[in-house]
Amino acid sequence: ISVFSIAYAIFLRRRSRESKTEIHELSAKIEELQDNVNRLRSTVDLSPDTIAVSREGKLIFVNQAGLALFRAETIEEVLGKHIKDFIHYSYWDIVSQRIESMSKYLKQVPPIDLTIKRMDGSYLDVSVASTPVLYHSYPHVITIMRDISERKRNEEIKSRLASIVLSS
């Protein structure tokens, strides 16, 4: 047995121990990250507002409130679809401009009220706030939507009452 063989055997044992330690440390970090992801997902799913994430105009995440807002039975019904599939056609141009501003230029856009199209074909007025974010060097858009149909109904009633008062 040569000195080289003994030295190489010692090196392999030491490297094996170091690798096991590294694997254990990485496993612990992965578990911690998974716990953080689960906590964040639980928090997002508790939100009464729709929270959605899109990339290149396609939905890649929607929370439980979003499924209810879109009247989708399963997450598979909405994931991968383009945002335009859920927007009333009269808002397509402005939504396209907003997506481009956020995705290409990472520009902030102001909140907007618009009408969405649900999976059952019905329409709903929502308030939309979106912001661009970089994730793994790719631009994504995080959007929060809130049902404002009640507010719209109240505004319409106030407008009618005001017109009645003015005409009398």
Side-chain angles (χ1 to χ4, degrees), residues 48-50 65-66 68-70 83 86-88 91 95 98 111-118 122-130 143-152:
D49 292 330
T50 294
L69 186 84
F70 293 131
I83 291 169
F86 300 101
I87 303 295
H88 187 274
Y91 292 96
V95 168
R98 288 168 60 90
I112 185 174
D113 292 349
L114 53 82
T115 304
I116 63 165
K117 182 179 179 185
R118 298 161 121 178
S122 65
Y123 292 94
L124 182 70
D125 292 317
V126 295
S127 177
V128 178
S130 298
T143 300
I144 299 175
M145 284 182 269
R146 179 175 289 170
D147 179 353
I148 58 167
S149 53
E150 186 68 32
R151 184 184 90 193
K152 289 282 190 176

Short mmCIF file of all heavy atoms in Angstrom, two decimals, residues 48-50 65-66 68-70 83 86-88 91 95 98 111-118 122-130 143-152:
data_model
loop_
_atom_site.label_atom_id
_atom_site.label_comp_id
_atom_site.label_asym_id
_atom_site.label_seq_id
_atom_site.Cartn_x
_atom_site.Cartn_y
_atom_site.Cartn_z
N PRO A 48 -59.36 38.05 2.23
CA PRO A 48 -60.68 38.11 1.58
C PRO A 48 -60.59 38.69 0.17
O PRO A 48 -61.52 38.56 -0.62
CB PRO A 48 -61.49 39.02 2.50
CG PRO A 48 -60.47 39.87 3.17
CD PRO A 48 -59.23 39.03 3.30
N ASP A 49 -59.47 39.34 -0.15
CA ASP A 49 -59.27 39.91 -1.48
C ASP A 49 -58.58 38.88 -2.37
O ASP A 49 -57.82 38.04 -1.90
CB ASP A 49 -58.39 41.16 -1.41
CG ASP A 49 -59.07 42.32 -0.72
OD1 ASP A 49 -60.32 42.40 -0.79
OD2 ASP A 49 -58.37 43.13 -0.11
N THR A 50 -58.83 39.01 -3.66
CA THR A 50 -58.15 38.17 -4.63
C THR A 50 -56.70 38.61 -4.74
O THR A 50 -56.42 39.79 -4.90
CB THR A 50 -58.83 38.28 -6.00
OG1 THR A 50 -60.14 37.74 -5.90
CG2 THR A 50 -58.06 37.53 -7.08
N ALA A 65 -59.63 33.19 -2.56
CA ALA A 65 -60.60 34.26 -2.80
C ALA A 65 -60.73 34.53 -4.30
O ALA A 65 -61.81 34.86 -4.80
CB ALA A 65 -60.20 35.53 -2.06
N GLY A 66 -59.62 34.36 -5.03
CA GLY A 66 -59.65 34.55 -6.47
C GLY A 66 -60.48 33.50 -7.17
O GLY A 66 -61.20 33.79 -8.12
N ALA A 68 -63.01 32.02 -5.91
CA ALA A 68 -64.41 32.38 -5.65
C ALA A 68 -64.83 33.57 -6.51
O ALA A 68 -65.93 33.58 -7.08
CB ALA A 68 -64.60 32.70 -4.17
N LEU A 69 -63.96 34.58 -6.63
CA LEU A 69 -64.28 35.76 -7.41
C LEU A 69 -64.50 35.40 -8.88
O LEU A 69 -65.45 35.87 -9.51
CB LEU A 69 -63.15 36.79 -7.30
CG LEU A 69 -63.42 38.13 -7.97
CD1 LEU A 69 -64.22 39.03 -7.01
CD2 LEU A 69 -62.14 38.81 -8.36
N PHE A 70 -63.65 34.54 -9.42
CA PHE A 70 -63.78 34.12 -10.82
C PHE A 70 -64.83 33.03 -11.00
O PHE A 70 -65.12 32.64 -12.11
CB PHE A 70 -62.44 33.62 -11.36
CG PHE A 70 -61.39 34.68 -11.50
CD1 PHE A 70 -60.12 34.48 -10.99
CD2 PHE A 70 -61.67 35.87 -12.14
CE1 PHE A 70 -59.14 35.45 -11.12
CE2 PHE A 70 -60.70 36.85 -12.27
CZ PHE A 70 -59.43 36.64 -11.76
N ILE A 83 -54.67 36.95 -18.82
CA ILE A 83 -55.51 37.87 -18.03
C ILE A 83 -56.69 38.38 -18.85
O ILE A 83 -57.79 38.56 -18.33
CB ILE A 83 -54.64 39.03 -17.50
CG1 ILE A 83 -53.68 38.49 -16.44
CG2 ILE A 83 -55.49 40.15 -16.94
CD1 ILE A 83 -52.60 39.45 -16.03
N PHE A 86 -60.17 37.08 -18.56
CA PHE A 86 -60.99 37.43 -17.40
C PHE A 86 -61.38 38.91 -17.37
O PHE A 86 -61.92 39.38 -16.38
CB PHE A 86 -60.25 37.08 -16.10
CG PHE A 86 -59.93 35.62 -16.00
CD1 PHE A 86 -58.66 35.15 -16.28
CD2 PHE A 86 -60.90 34.70 -15.63
CE1 PHE A 86 -58.36 33.80 -16.19
CE2 PHE A 86 -60.62 33.36 -15.54
CZ PHE A 86 -59.34 32.90 -15.83
N ILE A 87 -61.12 39.62 -18.46
CA ILE A 87 -61.39 41.04 -18.50
C ILE A 87 -62.46 41.33 -19.54
O ILE A 87 -62.44 40.77 -20.64
CB ILE A 87 -60.10 41.84 -18.88
CG1 ILE A 87 -58.96 41.54 -17.91
CG2 ILE A 87 -60.37 43.34 -18.94
CD1 ILE A 87 -59.18 41.98 -16.50
N HIS A 88 -63.41 42.20 -19.20
CA HIS A 88 -64.41 42.64 -20.16
C HIS A 88 -63.68 43.27 -21.35
O HIS A 88 -62.73 44.03 -21.16
CB HIS A 88 -65.37 43.64 -19.51
CG HIS A 88 -66.52 44.02 -20.37
ND1 HIS A 88 -66.43 45.03 -21.30
CD2 HIS A 88 -67.77 43.51 -20.47
CE1 HIS A 88 -67.59 45.15 -21.92
NE2 HIS A 88 -68.43 44.24 -21.44
N TYR A 91 -62.09 46.80 -21.69
CA TYR A 91 -60.91 47.19 -20.90
C TYR A 91 -59.62 46.56 -21.44
O TYR A 91 -58.55 46.76 -20.87
CB TYR A 91 -61.08 46.76 -19.43
CG TYR A 91 -62.17 47.52 -18.72
CD1 TYR A 91 -63.45 46.99 -18.60
CD2 TYR A 91 -61.92 48.76 -18.16
CE1 TYR A 91 -64.45 47.67 -17.95
CE2 TYR A 91 -62.91 49.47 -17.50
CZ TYR A 91 -64.18 48.91 -17.40
OH TYR A 91 -65.17 49.60 -16.75
N VAL A 95 -55.77 47.48 -20.07
CA VAL A 95 -55.12 46.40 -19.32
C VAL A 95 -53.83 45.98 -20.03
O VAL A 95 -52.81 45.76 -19.39
CB VAL A 95 -56.08 45.21 -19.10
CG1 VAL A 95 -55.33 44.00 -18.58
CG2 VAL A 95 -57.19 45.61 -18.13
N ARG A 98 -51.20 48.50 -19.25
CA ARG A 98 -50.73 48.36 -17.87
C ARG A 98 -49.78 47.17 -17.74
O ARG A 98 -48.74 47.26 -17.09
CB ARG A 98 -51.93 48.20 -16.92
CG ARG A 98 -52.73 49.47 -16.74
CD ARG A 98 -54.06 49.21 -16.05
NE ARG A 98 -53.92 48.64 -14.73
CZ ARG A 98 -53.83 49.35 -13.60
NH1 ARG A 98 -53.84 50.67 -13.66
NH2 ARG A 98 -53.73 48.74 -12.45
N PRO A 111 -54.11 52.29 -9.16
CA PRO A 111 -55.27 51.37 -9.11
C PRO A 111 -56.32 51.78 -10.14
O PRO A 111 -56.39 52.95 -10.54
CB PRO A 111 -55.81 51.56 -7.69
CG PRO A 111 -54.66 52.11 -6.91
CD PRO A 111 -53.86 52.94 -7.89
N ILE A 112 -57.12 50.81 -10.55
CA ILE A 112 -58.14 51.06 -11.56
C ILE A 112 -59.38 50.23 -11.23
O ILE A 112 -59.28 49.14 -10.68
CB ILE A 112 -57.60 50.71 -12.97
CG1 ILE A 112 -58.59 51.07 -14.06
CG2 ILE A 112 -57.22 49.25 -13.04
CD1 ILE A 112 -58.06 50.87 -15.47
N ASP A 113 -60.55 50.76 -11.56
CA ASP A 113 -61.79 50.01 -11.47
C ASP A 113 -62.10 49.49 -12.87
O ASP A 113 -61.99 50.22 -13.85
CB ASP A 113 -62.95 50.89 -11.00
CG ASP A 113 -62.78 51.33 -9.54
OD1 ASP A 113 -61.89 50.80 -8.85
OD2 ASP A 113 -63.54 52.22 -9.11
N LEU A 114 -62.47 48.21 -12.95
CA LEU A 114 -62.84 47.63 -14.23
C LEU A 114 -63.83 46.49 -14.02
O LEU A 114 -64.19 46.16 -12.90
CB LEU A 114 -61.61 47.18 -15.02
CG LEU A 114 -60.58 46.25 -14.36
CD1 LEU A 114 -61.02 44.81 -14.42
CD2 LEU A 114 -59.26 46.41 -15.07
N THR A 115 -64.27 45.92 -15.12
CA THR A 115 -65.23 44.82 -15.09
C THR A 115 -64.53 43.55 -15.53
O THR A 115 -63.85 43.53 -16.55
CB THR A 115 -66.42 45.12 -16.02
OG1 THR A 115 -67.00 46.37 -15.64
CG2 THR A 115 -67.46 44.02 -15.93
N ILE A 116 -64.69 42.51 -14.71
CA ILE A 116 -64.10 41.22 -15.07
C ILE A 116 -65.19 40.28 -15.57
O ILE A 116 -66.38 40.45 -15.27
CB ILE A 116 -63.35 40.55 -13.89
CG1 ILE A 116 -64.31 40.24 -12.73
CG2 ILE A 116 -62.18 41.40 -13.44
CD1 ILE A 116 -63.74 39.27 -11.71
N LYS A 117 -64.76 39.30 -16.34
CA LYS A 117 -65.64 38.25 -16.82
C LYS A 117 -65.32 36.99 -16.02
O LYS A 117 -64.18 36.56 -15.95
CB LYS A 117 -65.41 38.00 -18.31
CG LYS A 117 -66.33 36.96 -18.90
CD LYS A 117 -66.05 36.78 -20.38
CE LYS A 117 -66.97 35.71 -20.94
NZ LYS A 117 -66.65 35.42 -22.34
N ARG A 118 -66.35 36.40 -15.43
CA ARG A 118 -66.16 35.21 -14.62
C ARG A 118 -66.30 33.94 -15.45
O ARG A 118 -66.72 33.99 -16.60
CB ARG A 118 -67.19 35.22 -13.49
CG ARG A 118 -67.01 36.43 -12.58
CD ARG A 118 -68.25 36.68 -11.80
NE ARG A 118 -67.94 36.62 -10.38
CZ ARG A 118 -68.82 36.84 -9.43
NH1 ARG A 118 -70.08 37.10 -9.73
NH2 ARG A 118 -68.46 36.78 -8.17
N SER A 122 -70.73 35.56 -16.24
CA SER A 122 -71.24 36.78 -15.62
C SER A 122 -70.12 37.80 -15.48
O SER A 122 -68.94 37.47 -15.59
CB SER A 122 -71.85 36.46 -14.25
OG SER A 122 -70.86 36.00 -13.35
N TYR A 123 -70.52 39.04 -15.24
CA TYR A 123 -69.55 40.14 -15.11
C TYR A 123 -69.62 40.72 -13.71
O TYR A 123 -70.67 40.66 -13.05
CB TYR A 123 -69.83 41.22 -16.15
CG TYR A 123 -69.55 40.75 -17.56
CD1 TYR A 123 -70.56 40.21 -18.35
CD2 TYR A 123 -68.26 40.81 -18.07
CE1 TYR A 123 -70.29 39.76 -19.63
CE2 TYR A 123 -67.98 40.36 -19.35
CZ TYR A 123 -69.00 39.84 -20.13
OH TYR A 123 -68.72 39.39 -21.39
N LEU A 124 -68.50 41.28 -13.26
CA LEU A 124 -68.41 41.83 -11.91
C LEU A 124 -67.48 43.03 -11.92
O LEU A 124 -66.42 43.00 -12.56
CB LEU A 124 -67.85 40.76 -10.95
CG LEU A 124 -67.73 41.14 -9.49
CD1 LEU A 124 -69.13 41.25 -8.86
CD2 LEU A 124 -66.90 40.11 -8.75
N ASP A 125 -67.88 44.10 -11.22
CA ASP A 125 -67.03 45.28 -11.09
C ASP A 125 -66.03 45.05 -9.97
O ASP A 125 -66.41 44.61 -8.88
CB ASP A 125 -67.88 46.52 -10.77
CG ASP A 125 -68.76 46.93 -11.93
OD1 ASP A 125 -68.27 46.91 -13.08
OD2 ASP A 125 -69.94 47.26 -11.70
N VAL A 126 -64.75 45.32 -10.25
CA VAL A 126 -63.69 45.13 -9.27
C VAL A 126 -62.76 46.33 -9.27
O VAL A 126 -62.65 47.05 -10.27
CB VAL A 126 -62.87 43.84 -9.53
CG1 VAL A 126 -63.71 42.60 -9.35
CG2 VAL A 126 -62.21 43.86 -10.89
N SER A 127 -62.10 46.53 -8.16
CA SER A 127 -61.01 47.48 -8.05
C SER A 127 -59.72 46.67 -8.14
O SER A 127 -59.59 45.64 -7.48
CB SER A 127 -61.09 48.23 -6.72
OG SER A 127 -60.00 49.11 -6.60
N VAL A 128 -58.77 47.13 -8.95
CA VAL A 128 -57.55 46.38 -9.20
C VAL A 128 -56.34 47.24 -8.85
O VAL A 128 -56.20 48.36 -9.33
CB VAL A 128 -57.46 45.96 -10.69
CG1 VAL A 128 -56.16 45.23 -10.97
CG2 VAL A 128 -58.66 45.11 -11.08
N ALA A 129 -55.47 46.68 -8.01
CA ALA A 129 -54.18 47.30 -7.70
C ALA A 129 -53.10 46.30 -8.07
O ALA A 129 -53.14 45.15 -7.66
CB ALA A 129 -54.10 47.66 -6.22
N SER A 130 -52.15 46.73 -8.91
CA SER A 130 -51.10 45.84 -9.39
C SER A 130 -49.74 46.48 -9.19
O SER A 130 -49.61 47.71 -9.23
CB SER A 130 -51.28 45.53 -10.87
OG SER A 130 -52.49 44.87 -11.12
N THR A 143 -51.20 41.21 -8.35
CA THR A 143 -52.44 41.97 -8.46
C THR A 143 -53.37 41.61 -7.31
O THR A 143 -53.52 40.44 -6.96
CB THR A 143 -53.15 41.66 -9.80
OG1 THR A 143 -52.26 42.02 -10.86
CG2 THR A 143 -54.45 42.42 -9.94
N ILE A 144 -53.98 42.65 -6.75
CA ILE A 144 -55.00 42.45 -5.71
C ILE A 144 -56.30 43.02 -6.26
O ILE A 144 -56.34 44.15 -6.76
CB ILE A 144 -54.61 43.16 -4.40
CG1 ILE A 144 -53.30 42.57 -3.88
CG2 ILE A 144 -55.73 43.04 -3.36
CD1 ILE A 144 -52.74 43.25 -2.67
N MET A 145 -57.35 42.21 -6.21
CA MET A 145 -58.66 42.62 -6.71
C MET A 145 -59.70 42.54 -5.60
O MET A 145 -59.67 41.62 -4.78
CB MET A 145 -59.12 41.70 -7.86
CG MET A 145 -58.43 41.96 -9.15
SD MET A 145 -59.05 40.90 -10.45
CE MET A 145 -57.93 39.53 -10.28
N ARG A 146 -60.61 43.51 -5.63
CA ARG A 146 -61.68 43.55 -4.64
C ARG A 146 -63.00 43.82 -5.35
O ARG A 146 -63.10 44.69 -6.22
CB ARG A 146 -61.41 44.67 -3.63
CG ARG A 146 -62.48 44.81 -2.57
CD ARG A 146 -62.10 45.82 -1.54
NE ARG A 146 -61.01 45.24 -0.73
CZ ARG A 146 -60.31 45.91 0.14
NH1 ARG A 146 -60.54 47.19 0.32
NH2 ARG A 146 -59.37 45.33 0.85
N ASP A 147 -64.01 43.07 -4.97
CA ASP A 147 -65.36 43.24 -5.50
C ASP A 147 -65.90 44.60 -5.06
O ASP A 147 -65.95 44.90 -3.87
CB ASP A 147 -66.25 42.11 -4.96
CG ASP A 147 -67.69 42.19 -5.42
OD1 ASP A 147 -68.08 43.18 -6.05
OD2 ASP A 147 -68.44 41.24 -5.13
N ILE A 148 -66.29 45.44 -6.03
CA ILE A 148 -66.83 46.76 -5.71
C ILE A 148 -68.26 46.91 -6.24
O ILE A 148 -68.76 48.02 -6.37
CB ILE A 148 -65.94 47.90 -6.25
CG1 ILE A 148 -65.77 47.80 -7.76
CG2 ILE A 148 -64.60 47.94 -5.52
CD1 ILE A 148 -65.17 49.02 -8.41
N SER A 149 -68.91 45.80 -6.51
CA SER A 149 -70.26 45.87 -7.08
C SER A 149 -71.23 46.55 -6.12
O SER A 149 -72.10 47.31 -6.56
CB SER A 149 -70.75 44.48 -7.48
OG SER A 149 -70.65 43.59 -6.40
N GLU A 150 -71.10 46.32 -4.83
CA GLU A 150 -71.97 46.98 -3.84
C GLU A 150 -71.75 48.49 -3.87
O GLU A 150 -72.70 49.26 -3.83
CB GLU A 150 -71.70 46.41 -2.44
CG GLU A 150 -72.65 46.90 -1.38
CD GLU A 150 -74.07 46.39 -1.57
OE1 GLU A 150 -74.24 45.27 -2.08
OE2 GLU A 150 -75.01 47.12 -1.21
N ARG A 151 -70.49 48.90 -3.91
CA ARG A 151 -70.17 50.33 -3.98
C ARG A 151 -70.76 50.94 -5.24
O ARG A 151 -71.33 52.03 -5.21
CB ARG A 151 -68.66 50.53 -3.94
CG ARG A 151 -68.27 52.01 -3.91
CD ARG A 151 -66.77 52.19 -3.97
NE ARG A 151 -66.41 52.29 -5.38
CZ ARG A 151 -65.18 52.21 -5.84
NH1 ARG A 151 -64.18 51.97 -5.04
NH2 ARG A 151 -64.95 52.33 -7.14
N LYS A 152 -70.65 50.24 -6.37
CA LYS A 152 -71.21 50.75 -7.63
C LYS A 152 -72.73 50.90 -7.54
O LYS A 152 -73.29 51.88 -8.03
CB LYS A 152 -70.83 49.82 -8.79
CG LYS A 152 -69.39 49.86 -9.17
CD LYS A 152 -69.10 51.08 -9.99
CE LYS A 152 -67.70 50.98 -10.57
NZ LYS A 152 -67.40 52.09 -11.44
#
